[in-house]
């Protein structure tokens, strides 16, 4: 009595998997949709389709967990993979984990997902599944059977599947609390400028309000905890940041991205909240960290982004990187203000009790903390090796 659990989005690929698994002998089919902040309409559509097709369907609301345990660590690490704040990437391990645990709970004999063989998500989701339910095998029919979109649509029609809107879909969109990704269709041509219709979270430059908006974000141990002095939980603060930055046209990203399998892809993202929160977090870090820490953390953050891109959320190296990042975050407490105006964002003020900054020492008007006359000797010896090198040049014919 094989029991298949399909990790279900309600889209074409995963809907096709339902009759496909029946054809392949599964006599019990469950579906699970993990809600990480995709549009409510999509979650509802998935439930409707699952009901119509007679699966045992479950929706797991993971938005709070995603915000606190995945988006906040991304803020601490200033998440940036070549310009991409890793929105889709960091949701996948959580989807894998929750599906794995659900599969164990309902006694599934196999997991089924709809990832193609070209993207990154096959790696990230399967890794999450294997990490938390290594005993349950995984099937990926679209990849393993080389299914094409045209074949899927014909098959869906022959089986009378409710794929209505999926058929007309021009863009491939993935959306969660941390951002929105739009790819496919004409966007596959890097020479094609993104049309305004692909954007939903951000205003165009022209549509932005004519008056600037000043926003203050308060941080506690690296976590954003209040906007304009209104305390908010992780999910709420990210949603509010999305709204404010999006209204002022901040957070559109159009990049060439290097996928894990060595394939370039043209990606468009809308990540207004992530863009804003990471910018203010960085501004606060620049106030409370030493020069050596800043240089080292830039490297650590880059390694973190590489692992997060690959979905290696539970890797020991990730633990090590997080240990350093976490140690620094103990001091990332304070306020940063910024001004949003017509697609631009500028930090205007920052303050922290943990600042490694002395106004008295840096000031042009005050010599109490740093007696500049003491510097003469230090300046004289600056660049000793360069000076010596200059002396030997002639002798060595350099
Ligand atoms: N390329 C991105 C990533 O691998 C996002 C992919 C999102 N998928 C989509 N169908 N838009 O993280």
């Amino acid at each position: 009595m094989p029991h298949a659990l399909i990790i279900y989005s309600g889209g074409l690929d995963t809907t096709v998997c339902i009759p496909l698994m029946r054809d392949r002998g599964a006599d019990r089919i469950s579906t699970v949709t993990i809600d990480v902040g995709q549009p409510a309409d999509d979650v509802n559509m998935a439930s409707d389709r699952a009901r119509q097709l007679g699966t045992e369907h479950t929706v797991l609301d993971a938005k709070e967990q995603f915000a606190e345990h995945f988006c906040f660590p991304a803020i601490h690490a200033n998440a940036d993979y070549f310009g991409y704040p890793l929105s889709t990437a960091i949701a996948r391990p959580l989807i894998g984990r929750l599906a794995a645990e659900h599969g164990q709970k309902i006694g599934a004999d196999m997991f089924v997902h709809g990832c193609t063989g070209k993207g990154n998500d096959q790696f990230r989701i399967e890794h999450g599944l294997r990490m938390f339910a290594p005993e349950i095998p995984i099937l990926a029919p679209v990849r393993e059977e080389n299914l094409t979109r045209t074949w899927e649509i014909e098959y869906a029609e022959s089986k009378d599947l409710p794929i209505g809107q999926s058929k007309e879909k021009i863009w491939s969109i993935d959306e969660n609390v941390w951002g929105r990704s739009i790819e496919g269709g004409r966007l596959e041509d890097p020479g094609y400028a993104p049309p305004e219709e692909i954007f939903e979270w951000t205003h165009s430059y022209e549509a932005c309000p004519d008056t600037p908006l000043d926003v203050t974000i308060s941080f506690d141990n690296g976590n954003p905890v209040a906007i304009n002095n209104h305390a908010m939980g992780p999910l709420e603060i990210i949603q509010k940041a999305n709204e404010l930055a999006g209204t002022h046209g901040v957070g559109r990203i159009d990049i060439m991205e290097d996928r894990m399998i060595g394939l370039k892809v043209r990606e468009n993202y809308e990540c207004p909240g992530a863009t804003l929160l990471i910018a203010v977090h960085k501004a606060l870090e620049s106030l409370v960290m030493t020069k050596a820490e800043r240089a080292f953390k830039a490297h650590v953050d880059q390694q973190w982004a590489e692992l997060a891109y690959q979905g290696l959320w539970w890797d020991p190296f990730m633990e090590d990187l997080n240990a350093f990042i976490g140690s620094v975050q103990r001091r990332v407490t304070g306020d940063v203000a910024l001004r949003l105006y017509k697609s631009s964002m500028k930090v205007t003020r920052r303050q922290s009790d943990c600042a490694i900054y002395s106004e008295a020492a840096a000031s042009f008007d005050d010599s109490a903390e740093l007696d500049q006359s003491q510097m003469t000797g230090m300046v004289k010896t600056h660049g000793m090796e360069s000076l010596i090198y200059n002396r030997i040049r002639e002798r060595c014919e350099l």
Side-chain angles (χ1 to χ4, degrees), residues 84 88-89 120 124 172-174 181-183 257 267 269 309:
Y84 163 41
T88 295
N120 299 317
R124 301 165 177 156
S172 169
I173 296 172
D174 179 70
S181 142
I182 313 103
E183 59 183 24
E257 185 172 306
E267 283 283 2
Y269 296 103
Y309 190 74

Side-chain angles (χ1 to χ4, degrees), residues 42-234:
D42 287 9
V43 177
N44 294 336
M45 181 192 69
S47 300
D48 290 345
R49 288 183 178 179
R51 200 170 308 122
Q52 278 183 54
L53 295 170
T55 71
E56 296 167 44
H57 186 62
T58 307
V59 178
L60 300 174
D61 183 353
K63 292 194 287 291
E64 298 275 0
Q65 199 181 343
F66 179 54
E68 184 176 349
H69 298 294
F70 290 81
C71 303
F72 271 24
I75 296 173
H76 302 162
N78 300 313
D80 175 23
Y81 178 80
F82 300 101
Y84 163 41
L86 293 160
S87 44
T88 295
I90 61 170
R92 301 316 196 189
L94 177 60
I95 291 172
R97 176 181 192 153
L98 295 179
E101 290 166 355
H102 183 66
Q104 285 172 329
K105 197 171 119 196
I106 63 171
D109 300 306
M110 66 190 94
F111 294 118
V112 181
H113 67 74
C115 296
T116 71
K118 293 191 178 175
N120 299 317
D121 290 333
Q122 51 182 336
F123 295 96
R124 301 165 177 156
I125 291 182
E126 286 197 23
H127 180 65
L129 292 170
R130 271 196 197 94
M131 178 70 71
F132 293 96
E135 72 287 3
I136 304 178
I138 304 167
L139 266 84
V142 179
R143 177 185 71 205
E144 283 148 16
E145 302 182 26
N146 253 314
L147 305 184
T148 63
R149 203 177 133 80
T150 318
W151 184 90
E152 287 179 29
I153 292 174
E154 273 169 27
Y155 177 76
E157 280 170 351
S158 76
K159 294 276 177 183
D160 246 346
L161 302 185
I163 53 147
Q165 301 142 274
S166 308
K167 237 173 80 182
E168 286 105 55
K169 263 181 60 181
I170 311 174
W171 318 110
S172 169
I173 296 172
D174 179 70
E175 192 171 313
N176 65 46
V177 172
W178 200 229
R180 195 167 168 266
S181 142
I182 313 103
E183 59 183 24
R186 286 197 66 191
L187 289 168
E188 286 174 356
D189 171 6
Y192 173 73
E196 196 51 39
E197 64 165 83
I198 69 167
F199 301 110
E200 276 184 15
W201 289 15
T202 54
H203 275 145
S204 67
Y205 177 82
E206 293 78 14
C208 285
D210 287 326
T211 40
L213 182 73
D214 292 312
V215 183
T216 302
I217 313 279
S218 307
F219 280 87
D220 181 33
N221 293 306
N223 298 321
V225 290
I227 297 189
N228 296 335
N229 288 321
H230 293 294
M232 292 177 206

